[in-house]
Amino acid sequence: MATDYQPPVADYAFLYREAFGTDIVARATGGELTADDGADIIAGAGEFAASVLAPLEQVGDREGARLVDGQVHLPDGFAEAYAAFVEAGWVTAEAPASAGGDGLPGSIRAGLGEIWNASNAAFALCWLLSAGQIHALDAAASDELREIYLAKLVSGEWTGTMNLTEPAAGTDLGAIRTTATPRDDGSWSIKGQKIFITWGDHDVAENIVHLVLARTPGAPEGAKGLSLFVAPKYLVNADGSLGDRNGVETVAIEHKLGIHGSPTCVLSYEDATGYLVGEVGGGLAGMFVMMNSARIGMGFQATGIADRALQQAEAYAADRMQGRVLERGGDAPIAEHPDVRRLLLSIRSDVFAMRALGVYVGDLFDRAEASEDAADLAFAEFFVPILKGWATEDAVALTSDAIQVHGGMGFIEETGAAQHYRDARIMTIYEGTTAIQSNDLIGRKVIRNEGATAETLFAQIDETVAALRGVGAGGAGEVAARTADRLERAVASARRATADVVGFGSSPRDAHAVSVPYLMLLGVLAGGWMHALAVVAVAAHEVPAAEDAARLTLADFYGAHHLPRVHALAETVASGETA
Amino acid sequence: MATDYQPPVADYAFLYREAFGTDIVARATGGELTADDGADIIAGAGEFAASVLAPLEQVGDREGARLVDGQVHLPDGFAEAYAAFVEAGWVTAEAPASAGGDGLPGSIRAGLGEIWNASNAAFALCWLLSAGQIHALDAAASDELREIYLAKLVSGEWTGTMNLTEPAAGTDLGAIRTTATPRDDGSWSIKGQKIFITWGDHDVAENIVHLVLARTPGAPEGAKGLSLFVAPKYLVNADGSLGDRNGVETVAIEHKLGIHGSPTCVLSYEDATGYLVGEVGGGLAGMFVMMNSARIGMGFQATGIADRALQQAEAYAADRMQGRVLERGGDAPIAEHPDVRRLLLSIRSDVFAMRALGVYVGDLFDRAEASEDAADLAFAEFFVPILKGWATEDAVALTSDAIQVHGGMGFIEETGAAQHYRDARIMTIYEGTTAIQSNDLIGRKVIRNEGATAETLFAQIDETVAALRGVGAGGAGEVAARTADRLERAVASARRATADVVGFGSSPRDAHAVSVPYLMLLGVLAGGWMHALAVVAVAAHEVPAAEDAARLTLADFYGAHHLPRVHALAETVASGETA
């Protein structure tokens, strides 16, 4: 049995209030909201998620989505849950103020993203895709499209999808063959087949808005020839009411390893009506807005799935009696066995690192938006491939460790641990594989500026090392000193690896042969930095808080078990392409 | 679609003939068989596996085992395949000569173990359990039991199972509650429930022999009170014909994450007839013979499943066209993309390391048996937890990488890549979790002799480093020099970590908190040693062989991508328990 879901409210309160040296919610909202408000929103979302979404997680896996006579049906309870989700305002909460949403700061949206994914990742994908489309339409759509489509997405009445992939065009979007031909009335006729369309059809909302990449007549070859279109499942009448079915048909749904509650559709467009978003040829730029939002969202999904797997493993380990524990007589819960403790601390410390980095990145984008300096946006965007790539890769491994905690019961499907392992496996693939993230990182964000943005990060880590050195003896002192030593050595390895990657600039095969190890190195380092910031914050407490000791243990554990990977990865990066 | 299975004949020929400096098959058999004979046996097994077992792998997963009216039925084709397997003599091939088997050397049995598991891991478990029981009965059973049961197991007419686990007794066998009460006729009445019984019931052979751990009246508490019994599914008449059903009932089968074609049974014993194997109270010692055999077999299973996942990923990557590759114009198969190449080399180099270590360990046990020196057996047994723990942990990660090669298609069940990922996940759990392996390693095999056995390994690695240093410039020279540098640093880290573990002898919580990282360190190191031995062998070629360049690339890649983990793990080991 899956356990109840416990939202990580205390962690978010700590991150909003003090981990980054200031109340970041107040800073982002000009004081309109505070860290306490942020924690309240997280608590409210957590309550909703625990009571409405989490109970449907295993049902969604077991029953899965079904395609009957061209219509996708979701498992019992999903439609009611979606209605409640909309009613509670959680779709609108995600949307920017410019689109009519609540305009919550990125740090809070990070927490919401984690919570929806932790409680029910298959369900959360619906929200994630709608949210991405909201950002894309808000950036580029005409007033008419905003009025009709964006408004319905923001209210949650309709849901959104992202139509990129085709059978011969996965990672390589330039190979897209779907066509859009202009009609006399200003609309476009779309024709082609799209695959792997998440929530491409369903019965939980009355209409679905597809955002489609397609090629216009005479457009240049490759990705530059792509334009972006909105194509609804049901056409919309002039008065806003729903009209006929559009020419979009659900041909099949996939039989997948995981996220069975999320329908993955093959959509066939036959003279379907679409509306241009932005300029002809501006498709990729428009889709990148949605993609960036989705990639950051994957960081939250990784955190969420890993935390849920952790919570279940912790509950099992606390209950399951087996064997004696070393010096202690009598039976003990397996949580007391040193290696079970190691597994749980390994997951918990990595989940905290991901959670903190998600909040940090969410906040960075808010700061970049408020800034005049282009380097601030570059710094925020630097973290997108790192968060997406590192958090998802680690999360897959963490769900495996969570199975291990269960022993043989972890392999039995009814236990529920295996579902997280199956669900998690797609995360390193969709929204751009880890290799795609690493190419973006080394190409656009490291080699092009000769490591300048990376150095901005390293310099900030240097400052944190200095702050750790300033912590006095006693209390947090020992952990602070060890963390400073470890982080200092890790950032030195990271600087060497960055110099290696920049040096490979004229030898792209070397650079690309070790781009994923380099991405992972920066992710592991960033995670260590997040823990170091937590140690600095804890050390500043005059009166120790209840979670202080646990935060120090996690930081110390991360430094001993995760951070050393930086050195191994740096050695791999240095080797370049193996002949 | 899963691809055809290609048995790794060339690798085994290389390992038998020269990788270990001599023809190890000839050495083990006193010249009765040679490396060429060994390679022929591997080729024959590979042909059988590819044509009979591999085609049933996906069917087994899709249909799975079913329990109908107390009888387990396997998917279509399994019974015919088992009959062909027996007919071809592959069960007898595994058995020792003392039991009436072919008495093949361990190095060849390693290859067979890999091949059965690669072609069909669910099917191979039947063979693995029978093989383990053959070893256990050969070591301890009375002449009468040998005549009736061992003979039928060796011929393959009947299959064997291993009955240890109970709902409250998993890792902790001392908690076993199943009882065995003596009857007047010399047999025993067995009563209790056993769970997780692999191939505990099926319809592919006429009888099943259960090897059962149970507690006799008045026996001491804990593991010392356990005795070992044989209990058949059908009782055997005096003339050897089958009689009535014994009191063993299949109550349920498990719904598992993977290996669906292998029935995992809950067996209920109600006044079932059993026969004592060995002495009263000698159950654990007897079962350990079977367990050791099964643990080594897990190393072969890890190699097999990982190799099959690799073969499928390689075939997909060679066919799938997507995107341009850097400097090259036009579309290219994804195998040419640097990160896909990295993933494939990562899997391939690790699979070779596992395969070579499996052969090495198989051969070590033969040498230990022929030796008067107890240290030789200790050295062979030192590798059992390392091979089992490291190979299975890595194999799980490798099957995940194999999915990654497929991109989105890897998440679709029909592709077949996900099956390997699901099947593999049990390997780090059954036959003793990785934590159990690591406790065995540090407790019985490192701390107890203050690292002496580990030092025997390190000294042999030193010799290989010296041999690498003796390779002249040109040809293999560059890779030999790099490999020597890397291996020398790795063995230095391993010596430090071993000293740390020995130093934790008086602080068991520290030792056990890092026992798995220490086990993994030794596994990664042993893998690097295997590649180093391959480099030495290749360097000795006067006329280069076809595979030489590929072997050097794999060794170089392993040194750059896998071996550096040793240093990170050594840092983790040094930290002991995190406060």
Side-chain angles (χ1 to χ4, degrees):
Chain A
M1 296 299 114
T3 47
D4 295 341
Y5 172 59
Q6 307 284 344
V9 180
D11 264 11
Y12 278 100
F14 174 71
L15 293 167
Y16 295 159
R17 200 175 284 146
E18 53 180 333
F20 300 103
T22 188
D23 180 332
I24 58 171
V25 173
R27 180 175 61 192
T29 61
E32 202 177 308
L33 295 175
T34 66
D36 289 346
D37 298 322
D40 286 348
I41 294 172
I42 294 300
E47 205 179 304
F48 180 90
S51 59
V52 178
L53 304 183
L56 295 177
E57 195 189 32
Q58 283 191 297
V59 178
D61 184 60
R62 215 167 37 235
E63 296 187 13
R66 287 165 303 114
L67 176 65
V68 182
D69 297 336
Q71 170 66 49
V72 173
H73 300 275
L74 287 195
D76 276 355
F78 270 59
E80 293 77 3
Y82 184 75
F85 190 74
V86 169
E87 172 74 23
W90 293 119
V91 177
T92 314
E94 169 63 24
S98 51
D102 293 351
L104 290 175
S107 58
I108 295 178
R109 290 188 288 121
L112 298 179
E114 176 188 333
I115 285 169
W116 311 141
N117 279 294
S119 55
N120 195 327
F123 179 93
L125 284 166
C126 176
W127 160 84
L128 189 135
L129 273 296
S130 290
Q133 187 170 150
I134 288 170
H135 287 277
L137 293 186
D138 189 40
S142 66
D143 286 347
E144 203 183 337
L145 291 180
R146 293 177 69 94
E147 245 169 65
I148 301 171
Y149 296 96
L150 183 56
K152 292 287 193 184
L153 287 164
V154 171
S155 71
E157 288 165 271
W158 300 352
T159 71
T161 74
M162 199 164 166
N163 286 232
L164 289 75
T165 306
E166 299 178 7
T171 286
D172 180 16
L173 294 176
I176 282 177
R177 291 183 203 153
T178 295
T179 57
T181 314
R183 293 182 184 147
D184 293 343
D185 67 354
S187 72
W188 297 69
S189 166
I190 299 180
K191 189 171 160 53
Q193 195 182 69
K194 295 288 185 180
I195 63 170
F196 295 156
I197 307 308
T198 299
W199 283 80
D201 190 36
H202 59 76
D203 55 2
V204 314
E206 61 177 8
N207 204 5
I208 302 172
V209 187
H210 304 296
L211 199 60
V212 187
L213 272 187
R215 196 172 293 286
T216 51
E221 286 289 298
K224 284 172 194 160
L226 298 174
S227 303
L228 198 58
F229 299 87
V230 146
K233 176 179 175 181
Y234 289 97
L235 295 168
V236 184
N237 297 322
D239 64 356
S241 64
L242 294 187
D244 292 340
R245 272 294 291 256
N246 197 359
V248 191
E249 205 187 327
T250 307
V251 179
I253 60 174
E254 305 291 354
H255 171 221
K256 306 190 300 292
L257 173 61
I259 50 168
H260 297 163
S262 165
T264 302
C265 301
V266 178
L267 297 184
S268 174
Y269 289 81
E270 280 296 337
D271 192 22
T273 299
Y275 306 97
L276 182 69
V277 178
E279 303 294 318
V280 170
L284 217 56
M287 195 56 101
F288 267 132
V289 174
M290 182 160 182
M291 188 74 97
N292 245 340
S293 152
R295 285 177 178 179
I296 297 171
M298 281 303 112
F300 311 152
Q301 186 174 73
T303 313
I305 293 182
D307 188 49
R308 190 77 188 282
L310 169 67
Q311 291 192 19
Q312 179 159 0
E314 284 180 331
Y316 184 83
D319 273 0
R320 168 75 175 167
M321 305 296 288
Q322 186 73 184
R324 280 160 307 146
V325 175
L326 297 174
E327 67 282 5
R328 227 191 85 155
D331 271 10
I334 61 169
E336 294 186 22
H337 286 277
D339 193 66
V340 172
R341 182 174 181 273
R342 177 187 68 84
L343 287 166
L344 293 174
L345 282 174
S346 176
I347 309 173
R348 209 184 308 161
S349 65
D350 213 7
V351 165
F352 176 82
M354 293 174 190
R355 179 175 292 144
L357 191 65
V359 167
Y360 178 71
V361 172
D363 184 55
L364 268 188
F365 273 94
D366 288 351
R367 284 153 69 189
E369 204 172 311
S371 160
E372 307 276 298
D373 189 346
D376 288 336
L377 184 60
F379 191 61
E381 288 183 338
F382 179 74
F383 283 97
V384 175
I386 296 173
L387 178 63
K388 199 282 183 185
W390 160 73
T392 62
E393 289 281 345
D394 267 20
V396 171
L398 298 180
T399 59
S400 180
D401 286 347
I403 287 183
Q404 191 72 13
V405 169
H406 292 79
M409 289 306 295
F411 200 64
I412 307 300
E413 283 287 3
E414 285 77 3
T415 307
Q419 183 184 345
H420 306 305
Y421 179 69
R422 290 187 287 98
D423 286 355
R425 189 60 195 81
I426 188 61
M427 294 193 296
T428 63
I429 298 172
Y430 62 14
E431 314 306 346
T433 63
T434 311
I436 291 294
Q437 306 304 320
S438 72
N439 289 350
D440 173 43
L441 175 68
I442 64 161
R444 275 189 283 273
K445 295 166 179 176
V446 173
I447 294 176
R448 193 174 291 172
N449 64 27
E450 299 194 320
T453 309
E455 183 50 39
T456 306
L457 165 62
F458 303 151
Q460 294 205 21
I461 296 178
D462 290 343
E463 283 177 32
T464 306
V465 169
L468 288 165
R469 298 262 184 240
V471 173
E478 240 181 89
V479 173
R482 273 202 294 274
T483 303
D485 289 345
R486 289 164 174 159
L487 198 56
E488 192 167 49
R489 287 193 296 114
V491 80
S493 283
R495 281 190 165 106
R496 274 198 309 278
T498 303
D500 288 336
V501 166
V502 170
F504 291 147
S506 55
S507 165
R509 285 203 70 94
D510 280 310
H512 288 265
V514 294
S515 57
V516 169
Y518 179 69
L519 179 152
M520 292 302 292
L521 184 160
L522 289 185
V524 175
L525 175 71
W529 182 35
M530 294 295 114
H531 277 288
L533 290 170
V535 171
V536 172
V538 165
H541 289 175
E542 294 187 9
V543 181
E547 304 96 0
D548 282 5
R551 294 201 191 288
L552 294 176
T553 298
L554 283 193
D556 207 18
F557 187 93
Y558 189 97
H561 288 252
H562 290 293
L563 198 59
R565 291 162 64 197
V566 164
H567 307 297
L569 290 163
E571 190 168 335
T572 299
V573 169
S575 70
E577 188 185 24
T578 307
Chain B
M1 295 300 115
T3 47
D4 294 341
Y5 171 59
Q6 307 284 345
V9 181
D11 264 11
Y12 278 100
F14 174 71
L15 293 167
Y16 294 161
R17 200 176 284 146
E18 54 180 332
F20 300 104
T22 188
D23 180 333
I24 59 171
V25 173
R27 179 174 63 193
T29 61
E32 203 178 308
L33 295 176
T34 65
D36 288 346
D37 297 323
D40 286 347
I41 294 172
I42 294 301
E47 206 179 302
F48 180 89
S51 58
V52 178
L53 304 183
L56 295 176
E57 196 189 33
Q58 283 190 299
V59 178
D61 184 60
R62 215 167 37 236
E63 295 186 13
R66 288 165 301 115
L67 176 64
V68 182
D69 297 336
Q71 170 66 47
V72 173
H73 300 275
L74 288 195
D76 276 356
F78 270 59
E80 293 77 4
Y82 183 75
F85 190 74
V86 169
E87 172 73 23
W90 293 119
V91 177
T92 314
E94 169 63 25
S98 52
D102 294 350
L104 290 175
S107 58
I108 295 179
R109 289 188 288 121
L112 298 179
E114 177 190 331
I115 285 169
W116 311 141
N117 279 294
S119 55
N120 195 326
F123 179 93
L125 284 165
C126 175
W127 161 84
L128 190 135
L129 273 296
S130 290
Q133 188 170 148
I134 287 170
H135 288 278
L137 294 187
D138 189 40
S142 66
D143 286 347
E144 203 184 338
L145 290 179
R146 292 176 70 94
E147 246 168 66
I148 301 171
Y149 295 97
L150 183 55
K152 292 286 193 183
L153 288 163
V154 170
S155 71
E157 288 165 273
W158 300 352
T159 72
T161 74
M162 198 163 166
N163 285 233
L164 288 75
T165 308
E166 299 177 6
T171 286
D172 180 15
L173 295 175
I176 282 176
R177 289 181 205 156
T178 295
T179 57
T181 315
R183 292 181 185 148
D184 292 343
D185 66 355
S187 72
W188 297 69
S189 166
I190 299 182
K191 191 172 158 54
Q193 194 182 69
K194 294 288 183 179
I195 63 169
F196 294 156
I197 308 308
T198 299
W199 282 80
D201 190 34
H202 59 76
D203 55 2
V204 313
E206 61 176 7
N207 204 5
I208 301 173
V209 187
H210 303 296
L211 199 61
V212 187
L213 273 186
R215 196 171 293 285
T216 51
E221 286 289 299
K224 284 173 195 160
L226 298 174
S227 304
L228 197 58
F229 299 88
V230 147
K233 176 178 175 182
Y234 288 99
L235 295 168
V236 184
N237 297 322
D239 64 357
S241 64
L242 294 187
D244 292 340
R245 272 294 291 258
N246 196 359
V248 191
E249 205 187 330
T250 307
V251 178
I253 60 174
E254 304 291 353
H255 171 221
K256 307 189 299 291
L257 173 61
I259 50 169
H260 297 162
S262 165
T264 303
C265 302
V266 178
L267 297 184
S268 175
Y269 289 81
E270 279 298 338
D271 192 22
T273 298
Y275 306 96
L276 182 68
V277 177
E279 302 295 317
V280 169
L284 219 56
M287 195 57 101
F288 267 134
V289 174
M290 183 160 183
M291 188 74 97
N292 245 339
S293 153
R295 285 176 179 180
I296 296 171
M298 282 302 112
F300 310 152
Q301 185 172 75
T303 312
I305 293 181
D307 188 49
R308 191 77 187 283
L310 169 66
Q311 291 192 19
Q312 179 158 1
E314 284 180 330
Y316 185 83
D319 273 359
R320 168 75 174 167
M321 305 296 289
Q322 188 74 186
R324 280 160 307 145
V325 174
L326 299 174
E327 67 282 7
R328 228 190 84 156
D331 271 11
I334 61 170
E336 295 186 21
H337 285 276
D339 193 66
V340 172
R341 183 175 181 273
R342 177 187 68 84
L343 287 166
L344 293 174
L345 282 175
S346 176
I347 309 173
R348 209 184 307 161
S349 65
D350 214 6
V351 165
F352 176 81
M354 292 174 190
R355 179 175 293 144
L357 192 65
V359 167
Y360 178 72
V361 172
D363 183 54
L364 269 188
F365 272 96
D366 288 351
R367 285 153 68 189
E369 204 171 310
S371 160
E372 308 276 296
D373 190 347
D376 289 335
L377 184 60
F379 191 60
E381 287 183 338
F382 179 74
F383 284 96
V384 175
I386 296 173
L387 178 64
K388 200 281 182 184
W390 161 72
T392 62
E393 289 282 344
D394 267 20
V396 171
L398 298 180
T399 59
S400 180
D401 286 347
I403 287 183
Q404 191 72 13
V405 169
H406 292 78
M409 289 306 294
F411 200 63
I412 306 301
E413 284 287 2
E414 285 76 4
T415 307
Q419 184 184 343
H420 306 305
Y421 179 70
R422 290 188 286 97
D423 285 354
R425 190 60 197 81
I426 187 59
M427 293 193 295
T428 63
I429 297 171
Y430 62 13
E431 315 305 348
T433 63
T434 311
I436 290 294
Q437 306 303 321
S438 73
N439 289 351
D440 173 42
L441 176 68
I442 65 161
R444 273 189 284 274
K445 296 168 179 175
V446 173
I447 294 176
R448 192 174 292 172
N449 64 26
E450 298 194 321
T453 309
E455 183 50 38
T456 306
L457 166 62
F458 303 152
Q460 294 205 22
I461 296 178
D462 289 343
E463 284 177 31
T464 305
V465 169
L468 288 166
R469 298 263 184 240
V471 173
E478 242 181 89
V479 173
R482 273 201 294 273
T483 304
D485 289 346
R486 288 165 175 159
L487 198 55
E488 191 166 49
R489 286 194 295 114
V491 80
S493 283
R495 280 191 165 105
R496 274 199 308 278
T498 302
D500 288 336
V501 167
V502 170
F504 290 147
S506 55
S507 165
R509 283 203 71 94
D510 281 309
H512 287 265
V514 293
S515 56
V516 168
Y518 178 68
L519 179 152
M520 292 303 291
L521 183 161
L522 290 185
V524 176
L525 175 70
W529 182 36
M530 294 294 114
H531 277 289
L533 290 170
V535 171
V536 172
V538 164
H541 288 173
E542 294 187 9
V543 181
E547 304 97 359
D548 282 5
R551 295 201 191 287
L552 294 177
T553 299
L554 283 194
D556 206 19
F557 187 93
Y558 189 96
H561 288 252
H562 289 293
L563 198 58
R565 291 162 64 197
V566 164
H567 307 297
L569 290 163
E571 190 167 335
T572 300
V573 169
S575 70
E577 188 184 25
T578 308

